[in-house]
Amino acid sequence: MSESQQERGRVVELFDGTTLDGWHAVPRLPVAAWPGGPAPDPGSAEYLAAASSVGGWSVQDGAIVGTQSPAGSGLGGYLLTDDRYDDFRLTYEVRPDWPADTGVLVRASDLGAQGFQVLIDHRRSGGIGGFYGNGIGGFHALAYGVDVARDESGRPVGLVEDDPATTLEPVTAAKRALLSYAAPAEEFFRAWRWGDWNEMSVRCVGAYPVLTSSVNGVTIYEVDTGAISHPTYDRAAVAALLGRSGHIALEVHDNDEPMGADRWAPDAAVRWRNLRIETL
């Protein structure tokens, strides 16, 4: 058990601003969609390609920078804390390019690909601050999607709400119903700073965690993972898989066939700084 878990109320800096000490990178391997679900074929071309990269992780100008590696390869990866954490409030500043599909996983397994994800899907039809069950049932909890507004030259200039009529990934009533709280869309769009650093936080508490996300001090979403109902989500099986504590994992997404470069542009990056965790 890490020292940070033993001292409740202690605030731990997860990033020293200079090195990746305390972190390690792993591939974004395919995993079963839920505990006990059909396992991926480790000999498949998809699996072998994923295993060939851990993403590109570096420190630049006092920030952790995540990219696909090689650039434009469409291959992702995770950067995991060496330590594991149970109940906490995690705060970080993030600055993703457009488009860049990223997020933070909490209670993550050693693979990185299994855990509760706080979405930072900074791309068309993405969601920011919502939740996804990576490798633990695939539940998707959010109330609205995002798109980008462009100026006359076509340059992206800010986030707007995704149009349900043309969306790539519909926000359904079932997704909204998983949430115990959702801020109105206009509150999120007022809070998010385009082309700048945004401070986000996630509070994670409980054996079946209640997760609460915020953006620049505005509470955006909450989900009670012990109470949600989803066809492939079994809270007891998930708790048995992940345990009571897990890693924090930063994500660089791969490019799948439906979205391709609309999910992660060839030269895109996501940047992180001021990562700190308060144990609760």
Side-chain angles (χ1 to χ4, degrees), residues 67-89:
T67 62
Q68 293 186 344
S69 181
S73 64
L75 301 175
Y78 294 104
L79 188 70
L80 275 63
T81 55
D82 294 342
D83 283 343
R84 300 168 64 91
Y85 303 92
D86 50 20
D87 291 356
F88 56 82
R89 179 181 291 103

Side-chain angles (χ1 to χ4, degrees), residues 56-58 63-68 93-97 100-103 120 122 197 250-253 264 267-272:
W57 300 99
S58 61
I64 296 173
V65 179
T67 62
Q68 293 186 344
E93 291 180 86
V94 63
R95 186 171 181 168
D97 289 339
D101 190 326
T102 181
I120 314 173
H122 197 246
W197 291 96
L250 311 182
E251 180 191 40
V252 167
H253 210 292
W264 194 286
D267 58 350
V270 58
R271 300 157 191 86
W272 314 81

Side-chain angles (χ1 to χ4, degrees), residues 13 17 32 38 40 50 70 83 112 119 121 127 132-133 198 219-220 224-225 241 250 261:
E13 299 291 337
D83 283 343
L119 302 171
D121 295 351
Y132 183 74
N198 287 274
T219 300
I220 302 299
D224 182 349
T225 67
L241 174 69
L250 311 182

